[in-house]
Amino acid sequence: IDKAEAEQIKADYNIPSISTGDLLRDVVKGTGEKADAIREILNSGALVPDEIALELLKDRISQADCENGYILDGFPRNVSQAEAYDKILEEMKRDAGLVIVLDIDKEIAKSRISGRFTCPSCKRIYNINTGDMTPKKSGLCDDCNVELIQRSDDNPETYDERYNTYLEKTEPLISYYDKKGIVYHVDSSTSPSATHAQVVKILGE
Ligand code: AMP
């Protein structure tokens, strides 16, 4: 699932949304060798080593607010993370839930990524390439009036590498979870509300 949709589900179902990307972006706000090395990987569009993603994920899902479920955004990213996550779930006596695949054309995703801006205060997502998601005042959050920020990897060049990483490492997860019979596809090529309506239907069923 992606960030915008995860935020919608979080609001509707009152369960936390966990993004390994956000957890990593928090790490790189710090200083030191580890933060520098991770920052470089994030800016390149490659994946960070599995141990790092898994440690952050395991710590987060062990917190009390995750007891009744959670939404994962951006995890797992490859088959070895999925296998490790299966073991973690077994230890925690939890089941894998559902996997929702947001189907989207490469070029539409590129345009959305290149136009995405976030409010650093409330985390609301805007998009200057999508009519109904542009901020009312250019560059400022409608709610907080603070300056919007753009992720350093949300540019066309890093996007191409992120897309290649997706094809090579992440897409094989669809068949990994298909074999478990828990994959649902959603057409995410139109509006956020149309995407969300399909997700709500799946979760309702
Ligand atoms: P995202 O916010 O999900 O788009 O992730 C941004 C970047 O963080 C990715 O391009 C990777 O470099 C890194 N990242 C996020 N989640 C993972 C993960 N589960 N495993 C490895 N790297 C990750």
Side-chain angles (χ1 to χ4, degrees):
I1 204 110
D2 74 349
K3 196 158 306 305
E5 182 50 30
E7 291 303 317
Q8 292 248 34
I9 307 173
K10 176 181 165 185
D12 284 3
Y13 292 86
N14 197 24
I15 53 173
S17 148
I18 299 167
S19 152
T20 41
D22 281 347
L23 296 172
L24 288 161
R25 279 183 287 278
D26 282 344
V27 174
V28 307
K29 279 182 197 152
T31 51
E33 249 173 58
K34 188 177 175 189
D36 290 348
I38 296 176
R39 189 176 308 112
E40 205 167 303
I41 299 174
L42 260 56
N43 286 337
S44 77
L47 297 178
V48 305
D50 290 345
E51 311 79 72
I52 294 177
L54 282 160
E55 193 190 332
L56 289 169
L57 186 272
K58 201 173 170 183
D59 282 354
R60 181 64 189 87
I61 64 171
S62 303
Q63 290 169 22
D65 64 336
C66 291
E67 270 168 21
N68 296 320
Y70 45 85
I71 308 143
L72 289 179
D73 153 26
F75 179 91
R77 277 299 230 278
N78 59 30
V79 171
S80 71
Q81 289 183 12
E83 287 168 348
Y85 183 54
D86 278 346
K87 290 206 183 83
I88 294 172
L89 290 175
E90 214 176 292
E91 282 162 23
M92 297 180 97
K93 301 196 171 30
R94 290 179 176 167
D95 76 54
L98 304 181
V99 174
I100 299 180
V101 181
L102 303 183
D103 290 319
I104 188 165
D105 175 83
K106 181 183 175 185
E107 291 308 314
I108 300 177
K110 189 171 189 168
S111 156
R112 286 189 191 166
I113 291 254
S114 310
R116 175 165 63 175
F117 286 80
T118 313
C119 170
S121 176
C122 71
K123 311 284 179 219
R124 183 168 159 188
I125 296 160
Y126 292 88
N127 204 304
I128 58 166
N129 293 337
T130 316
D132 57 355
M133 287 178 77
T134 49
K136 292 198 181 87
K137 279 188 262 171
S138 173
L140 291 178
C141 177
D142 294 354
D143 304 319
C144 313
N145 215 36
V146 302
E147 207 169 311
L148 302 175
I149 51 171
Q150 186 172 37
R151 276 170 49 169
S152 58
D153 59 347
D154 274 352
N155 59 71
E157 297 73 36
T158 310
Y159 171 78
D160 286 336
E161 193 47 40
R162 286 162 67 190
Y163 188 79
N164 290 340
T165 304
Y166 169 77
L167 288 183
E168 190 193 332
K169 306 270 170 61
T170 310
E171 198 180 39
L173 287 176
I174 299 176
S175 68
Y176 179 90
Y177 285 114
D178 242 339
K179 291 190 191 107
K180 297 180 190 280
I182 55 173
V183 173
Y184 294 80
H185 285 265
V186 158
D187 171 11
S188 142
S189 61
T190 56
S191 65
S193 58
T195 300
H196 187 55
Q198 295 171 72
V199 172
V200 168
K201 189 162 178 279
I202 293 164
L203 296 180
E205 282 163 3

